[in-house]
Amino acid sequence: MYDYYPQTIIHYDMQDAWKKAHVSFEICGTFQNWKNTQGYGTDEVKYIIDQSLKWHISSFNAKSSQVPEEWEPLINDWLKKMGYRFVLRKFSYPAKVGQNGKLSFQSWWENKGVAPCYGNYRVVLRLINEDHEIILPTDADMKQWLPGDIVYEDAVFIPADTRPGTFDLQIGILDPMLSGPRIDLAMEGRNPEGWYSLGEVEVY
């Protein structure tokens, strides 16, 4: 684990495979085996975790084994880093937009995980008030949102039959095969339906 695995990943040209498909690991033995049989301590567990993050882990099969109490903080922190973890840092848009007009926006995201999102999820805006709901899909390709900062600028068109009024502008990440948002962002503000409010916009 200290030399053969890292070198073999390079030799088999697998170091960038994580950019196209998810990387999954399975525990050798169980967590209790690590502690009781292998004699691993916190340092050894942290080394394994750090290596898996370096290799862009997205999922981990622990064989439903119990985590020793002293390792729980390490494992909980690990779960927050593996795979993707999106945070919306900034979202700018005009306060008013006309019927059949274009709602332009600029957004800054951060993927605080170690891998992209491999599913066909969509970044979707929603305009909603007491009388009306409008779903506005964007063209964002989330599969290209690698770890780090992402700046995404786009525009969506307001349908011509939209009734004038003040709407709450919301954002969510949806699965095209299912209804409603399917990915929680690593931030506060999620409503019971899974949407995040961005502020008001007036349609005239």
Side-chain angles (χ1 to χ4, degrees):
M1 288 190 294
Y2 286 105
D3 52 21
Y4 178 76
Y5 286 168
Q7 294 180 76
T8 301
I9 288 173
I10 302 299
H11 289 156
Y12 282 90
D13 198 28
M14 293 295 292
Q15 65 269 28
D16 290 327
W18 65 276
K19 295 180 180 179
K20 297 181 179 180
H22 85 277
V23 175
S24 182
F25 288 93
E26 180 177 327
I27 195 169
C28 182
T30 65
F31 284 119
Q32 288 298 143
N33 288 149
W34 282 8
K35 179 180 178 181
N36 299 331
T37 304
Q38 303 295 337
Y40 289 176
T42 300
D43 289 343
E44 286 80 11
V45 175
K46 187 176 185 307
Y47 175 81
I48 293 170
I49 288 173
D50 289 344
Q51 291 298 295
S52 74
L53 294 173
K54 182 182 73 175
W55 293 330
H56 303 279
I57 181 175
S58 278
S59 62
F60 180 73
N61 178 7
K63 300 177 183 173
S64 300
S65 59
Q66 184 176 353
V67 177
E69 185 176 353
E70 63 268 33
W71 295 348
E72 287 182 2
L74 279 176
I75 302 303
N76 289 335
D77 187 59
W78 185 28
L79 291 171
K80 292 180 180 179
K81 294 177 180 176
M82 67 173 66
Y84 56 84
R85 186 173 171 84
F86 294 116
V87 181
L88 179 58
R89 296 295 188 192
K90 182 179 180 181
F91 194 95
S92 302
Y93 64 95
K96 297 181 179 181
V97 60
Q99 295 168 300
N100 202 34
K102 184 168 66 173
L103 179 66
S104 300
F105 64 86
Q106 300 82 39
S107 64
W108 166 32
W109 300 74
E110 183 180 1
N111 182 353
K112 296 177 67 67
V114 295
C117 175
Y118 302 103
N120 293 315
Y121 294 103
R122 301 287 301 275
V123 176
V124 174
L125 299 178
R126 178 169 83 158
L127 292 176
I128 187 168
N129 59 20
E130 294 180 353
D131 304 315
H132 208 27
E133 177 190 49
I134 307 166
I135 301 297
L136 304 167
T138 74
D139 292 327
D141 184 1
M142 297 190 71
K143 292 182 179 180
Q144 302 300 316
W145 289 14
L146 302 182
D149 293 319
I150 304 105
V151 173
Y152 176 63
E153 300 179 355
D154 200 357
V156 291
F157 283 93
I158 306 301
D161 60 352
T162 303
R163 301 172 194 162
T166 299
F167 291 80
D168 185 31
L169 177 62
Q170 301 175 349
I171 194 167
I173 301 178
L174 280 63
D175 183 336
M177 303 300 294
L178 302 169
S179 62
R182 292 295 160 182
I183 294 180
D184 292 344
L185 302 179
M187 52 188 268
E188 297 179 352
R190 181 183 183 276
N191 72 20
E193 296 178 280
W195 297 92
Y196 296 81
S197 179
L198 301 170
E200 293 185 343
V201 61
E202 181 183 342
V203 176
Y204 61 89

